[in-house]
């Protein structure tokens, strides 16, 4: 790609297919597919990113520190995912929005990142994700990454995904009522391998493992129906375009 002026942007479009838990805390897994999107000015560096980074744009870029808005997605859940959820409230698919901040302790290799996002459409509260990633290129085409994760949810988030009201417990007949509080909900790791098929096409394989903790692990939705161990395997294919606005 060649630069054609200050209005030149690099837009990356892709598609992800994942195999993982049907909802947070689920035991059974299924396939999901979703698009991916990224954009940057032509003169901005093409920094490495982790597969579980949400859609962001840097408005603050001071040395090794960056910050700006971020958009993400919220998982859905319904009794069709597990008949034993009858009587428990459904959770609709949703969008969340917030801010991200990251610091490159070693440029293009060691990154510390946080995202704080509030649900926009499904009332599932606030989440804060923390991560540290190591990026390692191998030759001109391969790049590997590995990183640790910690995720926190406020009371609204925890009640939405892991709480059971007294009325719901009666309607369900098998699961007890469970009240949740805010706090740490999971810790985990993410690993990935990316391969540049061509200068504009990239193929990526990744795996994210999370261990639910605290109220997220103790909830009957997890402890009686599901699994504390949550693993997502994914593959993505993306293409970068040069676009003038």
């Amino acid at each position: 790609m060649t630069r054609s002026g200050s209005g030149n942007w690099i837009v990356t479009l892709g598609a992800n297919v994942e195999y993982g838990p049907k909802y947070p805390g689920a035991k059974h897994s299924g396939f999901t597919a979703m698009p991916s999107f990224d954009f940057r000015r032509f003169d901005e560096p093409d920094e490495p990113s982790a597969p579980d980074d949400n859609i962001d744009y840097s408005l603050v870029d001071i040395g090794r520190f960056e910050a700006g808005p971020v958009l993400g997605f919220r998982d859905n859940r319904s009794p069709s995912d597990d008949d034993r959820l009858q009587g428990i409230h459904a959770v609709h698919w949703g969008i969340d929005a917030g801010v991200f901040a990251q610091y490159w302790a070693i440029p293009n290799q060691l990154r510390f990142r946080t995202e704080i996002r509030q649900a926009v459409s499904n009332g599932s509260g606030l989440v804060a994700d923390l991560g540290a990633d190591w990026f390692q290129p191998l030759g001109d085409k391969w790049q590997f990454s590995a990183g640790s994760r910690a995720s926190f949810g406020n009371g609204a988030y925890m009640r939405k995904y892991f709480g059971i009201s007294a009325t719901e417990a009666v309607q369900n007949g098998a699961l007890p009522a469970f009240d949740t509080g805010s706090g740490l909900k999971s810790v985990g790791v993410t690993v990935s391998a990316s391969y540049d098929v061509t200068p504009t096409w990239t193929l990526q394989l990744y795996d994210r493992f999370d261990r639910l903790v605290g109220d997220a692990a103790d909830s009957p939705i997890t402890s009686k129906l599901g699994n504390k161990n949550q693993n997502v395997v994914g593959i993505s294919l993306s293409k970068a375009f040069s676009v003038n606005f």
Side-chain angles (χ1 to χ4, degrees):
M1 287 177 279
T2 59
R3 184 172 181 178
S4 59
S6 60
N8 197 300
W9 293 71
I10 304 300
V11 176
T12 303
L13 301 177
N16 297 36
V17 176
E18 296 183 342
Y19 182 75
K22 291 186 175 182
Y23 56 86
K27 178 180 180 180
H28 301 295
S29 296
F31 285 98
T32 58
M34 65 183 68
S36 62
F37 175 74
D38 186 43
F39 64 99
R40 60 182 173 87
R41 289 189 181 276
F42 195 93
D43 56 359
E44 291 177 347
D46 185 14
E47 293 178 336
S49 62
D52 52 351
D53 288 353
N54 284 294
I55 301 170
D56 62 48
Y57 185 71
S58 295
L59 293 179
V60 177
D61 192 343
I62 304 173
R64 300 180 181 182
F65 176 80
E66 301 169 46
V70 62
L71 290 174
F73 303 96
R74 294 290 171 95
D75 295 304
N76 64 332
R77 185 188 72 208
S78 73
S80 64
D81 295 319
D82 190 325
D83 291 341
R84 296 172 297 174
L85 287 170
Q86 293 296 331
I88 308 300
H89 63 272
V91 182
H92 300 294
W93 176 91
I95 297 173
D96 57 25
V99 296
F100 85 97
Q102 62 186 30
Y103 176 75
W104 289 94
I106 302 175
N108 292 323
Q109 281 201 301
L110 179 58
R111 184 194 70 173
F112 298 95
R113 178 182 172 99
T114 183
E115 294 183 10
I116 301 175
R117 307 183 313 277
Q118 171 68 39
V120 173
S121 57
N122 74 350
S124 59
L126 184 80
V127 295
D129 296 330
L130 306 177
D133 292 280
W134 179 266
F135 300 94
Q136 182 63 54
L138 185 62
D140 296 330
K141 294 181 175 293
W142 285 96
Q143 178 165 266
F144 299 89
S145 72
S148 58
R149 298 289 184 267
S151 185
F152 300 79
N154 72 351
Y157 176 90
M158 299 297 287
R159 286 191 296 273
K160 195 75 169 181
Y161 286 100
F162 300 104
I164 301 174
S165 70
T167 300
E168 290 172 337
V170 172
Q171 293 172 166
N172 178 267
L175 299 179
F178 186 77
D179 190 23
T180 64
S182 60
L184 179 66
K185 69 180 182 70
S186 67
V187 293
V189 294
T190 296
V191 295
S192 72
S194 299
Y195 178 73
D196 292 333
V197 181
T198 72
T200 59
W201 285 94
T202 300
L203 179 68
Q204 184 181 60
L205 300 174
Y206 58 91
D207 185 281
R208 173 163 176 167
F209 173 82
D210 287 298
R211 172 78 172 183
L212 296 179
V213 298
D215 285 349
D218 295 338
S219 167
I221 293 172
T222 303
S223 62
K224 293 185 177 297
L225 303 185
N227 194 327
K228 297 177 184 179
N229 297 324
Q230 306 277 284
N231 194 72
V232 176
V233 179
I235 182 172
S236 69
L237 182 65
S238 60
K239 180 175 176 57
F241 300 85
S242 179
V243 178
N244 279 318
F245 290 104

